[in-house]
Amino acid sequence: MQKQSRSPIRQLIRGMFPIALLLVASTADARLGKEVVPVKQLIDLTINADSSHYSGFVVIDLSVNKATDRFALQAEEMELGLVELTNITGLIETEIEMGKHGLLSILAGERLSPGNYRLRIEFENDFNTNAVGLYRVIENENGYLFTQFEEDDAREAFPCFDEPEFKIPFQMTLRVPTAHYVIANTPIESETETESWKAIKFAETRPLPTYLLAIATGKLETVDIPGMSIPGRVVTVQGKSDLTSLAIKMTPPILAALENYFGSPYPYKKLDLIAVPEFWAGAMENAGAITFRETALAVDEASASVSTRRRMASIIAHELAHMWFGDLVTMVWWDDLWLNEAFASWMGDKIVDQVYPEFNMPITVVHSSQRVMSSDTRKSTSPIRQETADEENLLQNIGIIYSKGQAVLQMFENWLGEKSFQNGVKQYLKDHEWGNAVADDLWNALTNASGRDVNGSLSTFVLQPGVPLVTVEPGPGGEVTITQKRFSNYGTDFPEAKLWKIPITLKYSVDNEIKTYSLLLTEESSTFRLPGESRPDWVLPNAEMNGYYRWLVPADQMKLMAESAATLLTSAERVGFLSNMSGLLNADLITGGDYLSVISRFSKDEHPDVARGVIGALSRIHTVFVNDSNQDAFAELVRASLRPTMDRIGLEPTESEDEAIALLRPSLIGFIADEGKETEVLDYAKEKAAAYLDDKSAVDPALIGTMLTLSAFDGDQKMYNEYKSRAEQAETPVERSRFLYTLGNFRDRAIVDQALEYALSDHLRPQELGTIPRSVASHSPEMNSFIFDWITKNYDRIVAKIPPPSRSYLAFYASGCDEDLLKKGLDFFTQPEHSSPGMESRLARVKESTEDCLSLREREEESVAEFLKAYGGTK
């Protein structure tokens, strides 16, 4: 998540005696000093969701720790009025300076001695309309106000010390029209009402950083959540409170499980889950007032698919875990964001697996960790913990933080043992509750709880980038040699050798008896003897795929495991095996033909999660190698690989089928119909889509999106008009999302042009704008390039609409396996007028991924072509 480039405040500042005003530009980005720090802040806002403008004032109690004549806070893009600094002796004459990123410096007319002071600032501002800061949304002609302050947008709503280390109590008073409902982080303390306005004073918060404050107001509806240790509600905009039943059912058991794990009650006085119709993030962990993208929370329970339910459970659990990780204990600075996000991801999925085991979250974690390894092998990667002082790039490595961080924590939990890890976590929270922490604090707590050197081990994964390659060489008499080095894709050289301290669990077989052996690899190479005196038949270096590393064993053992995977390996190990083979292909350690042979063997596996892995592997082959000359042969391979699974599970779900099958079927149908050119399945999809238009209950919820998408492939103008109308009249956010995505799947070029113009219209919210172009780009490499050209032609219109954190992600539209497209992307986005914070790192990732793809195609095109000869070869 990246923020847009900001410029110094230039609007008029109104001065009032005895304040002298000075407007200057700050020349350097800097964190706020500690000479003067906030102790408590009052925020008083007069806000009307039906207006575009608001006013207010803040009163900040200050502690001067060291004599100084100046200090700074932040106030961005607002019109300041009275700025008044006082202490027990009275008013102190001041001047102010305005600088970059909203830096507001207070220059005192006299030296401020250590002691207590009070700062009052009055201001006016316009509501933001790009889903950051305090922003306004129109829904069905009603105005609403919501907030999104992470990472540094509270300063756009009111003056404050907008850094996470300044964790203080806040008290809000919000003055709103009497017809509007209003929510903040705490329960209401008092309410006074006049003829048309009411003033709501909320209880003082426990210490919080500014990025966790929240406001929501307008004609909101609330539904109580019973069965929790504290009062709770689901909150929606008007007319959508009937979409809350699933969230109401899921939240209490998830919260109870978290309270049980942490051994402490939920830290706040109430819990509101707020469904926001315009929200660029998935959800935001505001203390006591969590905001969600509407599609993630406001769901029709009767038509919710398994994937929708699992997604909701996962997001709710992630955000509730934040109430401890991030809210109760907060990082000092953004370089330790992983203490929030990696832990919330790990803890959330762990709790979902406990409460809803049918969702099989461990497999989801395997998929996630294997995916992130692909980007973590490149030079453009970054450590989980990356020091940054630039406020414009605070969240640049968010994918590494979430997915790699989660995988690494799971690996170390497995090494330390669940109980020791839990005890360390509980001690960490107890030692730092209501305060801030850094990485060392967590490592020390885990070390003390487990008696192992967690600092020395975990830090090698958190502080340095990249993925280890663990190579296992079995020898005679049970002797095994394990070596490690940094894994790299073919052609990539890393000048600096890195070593990790890697918790490893080997799974192996001796005389058909499967055993495990655990160790901590701390050196470049280690030789030891497994129990017994026989050479193992095979060794899997990553039992249950709990480790964050690539692995390699001798070819004969790799072949043996592949041939007998269904009987030798668990489903998680088989999924990880496939992904590991993909990594080895990138590194030129196996051939494309070898990879396809493994895919072919695994396609016979009856486990749904393995079938999903096969689809992912085939999709990768399609991206890199398939073109007009071999697409028919590839389609035959797809049918040969996936049709047996399709026949086994059927096109229609059954009442008693496993959840994993329900999750597999949509992607299986979609892939075999599209890439496999299976006309029978395409015809089936068209029939089901037509039936759905007549009767929404005619299609299983899990299949609706797939049926609509496939039906659009050769859809005509009449169908496009119907689907567009359905999107605009959708009764639920999920239904709207399905139809919008489908609009991008028509293949007729004239309809594509209409859909893209529609994407830029006011009918779509900012976070929805990318839905249609992403769909169009997925059609083919040619359409991917077409969409990039469309973006460059409409760049100004696009960036004017999308949330600022999304702008740097436009660089990914230059991704692919196309050298010309890469060149166009680099030329366009390196121009200053087209750049934005985070763009440089995104472009580096695009460049490397494209070069890796082109290199792989050049090396293995012949090998893949040879394999495809069995399926019709090339034209």
Side-chain angles (χ1 to χ4, degrees), residues 836-868:
S836 59
M839 184 69 76
E840 184 177 353
S841 63
R842 305 266 188 269
L843 284 176
R845 289 166 58 186
V846 169
K847 182 175 184 292
E848 280 196 273
S849 66
T850 300
E851 291 172 346
D852 284 345
C853 184
L854 291 169
S855 172
L856 178 58
R857 178 184 290 168
E858 182 180 3
R859 295 193 321 269
E860 298 299 331
E861 196 164 28
E862 186 176 333
S863 174
V864 170
E866 183 66 25
F867 184 90
L868 288 177

Side-chain angles (χ1 to χ4, degrees), residues 210-499:
T210 50
Y211 81 90
L212 293 176
L213 297 175
I215 296 169
T217 184
K219 294 181 179 179
L220 300 169
E221 297 178 350
T222 68
V223 183
D224 289 343
I225 306 175
M228 298 195 301
S229 57
I230 37 80
R233 302 171 296 185
V234 179
V235 183
T236 72
V237 296
Q238 191 176 64
K240 295 185 179 178
S241 58
D242 59 336
L243 302 176
T244 60
S245 61
L246 187 57
I248 288 170
K249 289 179 181 178
M250 283 188 160
T251 303
I254 290 173
L255 182 62
L258 285 165
E259 290 177 319
N260 182 64
Y261 181 89
F262 293 125
S264 63
Y266 171 81
Y268 303 100
K269 296 296 185 182
K270 58 94 173 175
L271 173 62
D272 287 324
L273 308 182
I274 307 169
V276 182
E278 189 170 310
F279 195 61
W280 68 269
M284 180 62 211
E285 65 270 19
N286 311 303
I290 303 172
T291 43
F292 294 77
R293 184 177 289 196
E294 200 175 52
T295 52
L297 191 70
V299 171
D300 177 26
E301 183 177 5
S303 62
S305 66
V306 173
S307 61
T308 297
R309 293 168 184 267
R310 183 174 69 169
R311 178 171 178 258
M312 178 183 288
S314 180
I315 294 175
I316 289 175
H318 179 104
E319 300 308 321
L320 288 179
H322 270 307
M323 298 300 105
W324 287 266
F325 283 112
D327 294 15
L328 180 64
V329 179
T330 307
M331 74 258 164
V332 172
W333 183 246
W334 297 101
D335 45 17
D336 273 318
L337 180 64
W338 73 280
L339 288 173
N340 294 10
E341 298 299 348
F343 264 92
S345 295
W346 164 77
M347 188 77 256
D349 286 351
K350 183 181 182 71
I351 290 299
V352 171
D353 188 51
Q354 177 183 323
V355 177
Y356 300 106
E358 65 271 21
F359 292 154
N360 197 7
M361 296 306 293
I363 285 287
T364 301
V365 176
V366 171
H367 281 296
S368 174
S369 64
Q370 295 293 325
R371 276 195 305 271
V372 78
M373 283 188 203
S374 296
S375 60
D376 199 24
T377 58
R378 300 184 177 121
K379 287 184 177 180
S380 56
T381 190
S382 57
I384 294 174
R385 185 185 191 275
Q386 183 176 20
E387 292 189 9
T388 176
D390 182 359
E391 290 183 306
E392 294 182 335
N393 285 285
L394 296 177
L395 305 183
Q396 63 178 320
N397 62 334
I398 200 72
I400 293 290
I401 289 172
Y402 278 74
S403 299
K404 180 179 179 178
Q406 177 180 6
V408 167
L409 289 174
Q410 178 172 291
M411 175 171 64
F412 277 87
E413 181 198 30
N414 186 62
W415 178 52
L416 298 178
E418 284 192 76
K419 195 63 180 176
S420 292
F421 198 89
Q422 181 183 15
N423 288 339
V425 166
K426 290 164 72 173
Q427 190 61 50
Y428 164 79
L429 293 172
K430 182 179 179 181
D431 290 345
H432 303 283
E433 62 181 0
W434 308 118
N436 298 87
V438 296
D440 282 345
D441 297 322
L442 174 66
W443 295 336
N444 292 337
L446 291 173
T447 294
N448 293 336
S450 66
R452 295 186 173 184
D453 180 19
V454 177
N455 193 332
S457 304
L458 182 56
S459 62
T460 65
F461 283 88
V462 172
L463 298 182
Q464 65 185 19
V467 181
L469 172 64
V470 173
T471 301
V472 177
E473 288 283 353
E479 186 176 275
V480 173
T481 297
I482 299 186
T483 60
Q484 64 158 304
K485 66 176 183 178
R486 185 170 181 178
F487 184 84
S488 62
N489 291 340
Y490 177 78
T492 301
D493 294 319
F494 294 107
E496 181 182 349
K498 293 185 181 297
L499 287 180

